[in-house]
Amino acid sequence: MEQNRKPLIAGNWKMFKTCSEAADTAEKLVKLTAGVNDREVLIAPTFTALSDVRNVIKGSHVLLGGQNLFWENEGAYTGEISGQMLVSAGCSHVIIGHSERRQYFFETDETVNKKIKAAIQSKLIPIFCIGESEKERESKNTFSVLDKQVSKGLKDFSSDDVKELVIAYEPVWAIGTGKTATSAQAQEAHLFIRSLIEKKFGKMLAKSLRILYGGSVKQNNIAELMSMPDVDGALVGGASLDAETYAKIVHF
Ligand code: PGA
């Protein structure tokens, strides 16, 4: 973690929690992480719980994010949610291209690109997820996969467009499996991603870009991961669902 990049700890609640459960967890989290100002804390509940969570975190340091969005502002797109809708629900961030969306909902680098564009247009900060599968790692294709995901996902953007972008490196084999990447593996991937950003958008942006690690982040591995120079935060799934557990990660 570099001193000039404020760490971001983001909780991805996936398809868990009813409205009242989400509000209850968020309320506890606000209390348990009160006073934290050297890092940013975010939660991304389901769409249905956004408004209840917003009510309990209002005025606090906890930030709100969506887990997905559609690239049109409005229209006949049954079941979809737009960037401006997320903003109106109190979101400042949105997760885009999570591997579960790529795997189960057939998102591609091209649709991810459109979604990042839509997020930027709505003034949402995209948390752009990339990462290789186990097979890709074993066949030594990690870097080429990351290269492709970054170049296609960020196609046709200027450095100004992506100045607030956050990237989450989430090796698919580490998500929800309890198999965390070692801090050395995370650092190697993060450094590579930063070098891709430098080639594409220049040194200044590469230096300020925050790259989060995601994949079985827990209380017992967060400090080690965060000690790496290019790890600027975490995207936490399972371990963010319980306020006490998540707060311990936030306080790493
Ligand atoms: P996990 O999920 O922490 O449960 O592995 C991380 C993620 O999917 O963002």
Side-chain angles (χ1 to χ4, degrees):
M1 170 184 44
E2 271 259 333
Q3 289 318 315
N4 58 355
R5 296 192 292 264
K6 197 173 192 178
L8 168 62
I9 310 294
N12 173 10
W13 286 356
K14 306 191 180 184
M15 199 177 75
F16 290 101
K17 296 185 188 294
T18 61
C19 296
S20 59
E21 287 165 353
D24 185 52
T25 309
E27 197 168 12
K28 285 188 188 142
L29 184 72
V30 168
K31 290 191 188 121
L32 291 166
T33 59
V36 164
N37 55 19
D38 60 345
R39 60 204 65 182
E40 291 179 349
V41 187
L42 179 141
I43 43 181
T46 55
F47 292 140
T48 48
L50 283 173
S51 139
D52 289 272
V53 169
R54 178 199 209 174
N55 287 338
V56 299
I57 65 172
K58 229 179 203 161
S60 82
H61 59 290
V62 176
L63 302 165
L64 193 62
Q67 295 178 15
N68 181 31
L69 85 174
F70 188 58
W71 53 78
E72 296 292 343
N73 269 336
E74 59 179 17
Y77 303 104
T78 303
E80 294 297 322
I81 303 269
S82 71
Q84 65 183 19
M85 290 169 186
L86 289 179
V87 170
S88 75
C91 293
S92 51
H93 293 65
V94 60
I95 299 171
I96 295 177
H98 190 282
S99 65
E100 286 152 13
R101 298 227 41 100
R102 295 179 191 252
Q103 187 181 347
Y104 303 126
F105 304 99
F106 315 109
E107 293 202 7
T108 62
D109 293 326
E110 288 71 27
T111 60
V112 166
N113 176 261
K114 286 184 173 189
K115 289 183 176 199
I116 297 175
K117 193 169 288 165
I120 294 167
Q121 275 164 1
S122 302
K123 304 214 170 353
L124 285 163
I125 299 176
I127 302 178
F128 167 36
C129 302
I130 55 175
E132 80 288 358
S133 67
E134 187 151 40
K135 224 164 116 198
E136 289 162 342
R137 176 164 282 266
E138 278 167 3
S139 55
K140 308 220 174 322
N141 284 320
T142 298
F143 287 172
S144 63
V145 169
L146 296 177
D147 193 343
K148 178 178 138 294
Q149 289 174 335
V150 168
S151 59
K152 292 194 166 181
L154 300 182
K155 189 168 172 275
D156 296 334
F157 292 134
S158 68
S159 53
D160 196 49
D161 291 332
V162 292
K163 61 181 185 298
E164 294 210 87
L165 177 83
V166 174
I167 291 184
Y169 168 62
E170 299 207 301
V172 180
W173 49 271
I175 296 178
T177 58
K179 272 201 245 171
T180 328
T182 63
S183 51
Q185 284 171 325
Q187 170 59 24
E188 183 188 40
H190 284 219
L191 186 63
F192 177 72
I193 294 163
R194 204 177 297 287
S195 75
L196 292 175
I197 296 296
E198 181 171 337
K199 261 189 257 157
K200 221 172 146 50
F201 298 108
K203 219 182 183 88
M204 262 206 0
L205 187 83
K207 264 191 97 111
S208 65
L209 174 86
R210 285 182 296 177
I211 307 176
L212 316 183
Y213 168 79
S216 299
V217 172
K218 305 271 183 273
Q219 191 194 330
N220 62 6
N221 56 28
I222 179 81
E224 165 74 17
L225 286 160
M226 290 301 294
S227 71
M228 296 291 117
D230 288 285
V231 176
D232 309 308
L235 184 53
V236 187
S240 71
L241 292 169
D242 175 76
E244 276 87 17
T245 310
Y246 187 41
K248 285 184 186 145
I249 293 177
V250 169
H251 287 293
F252 66 87

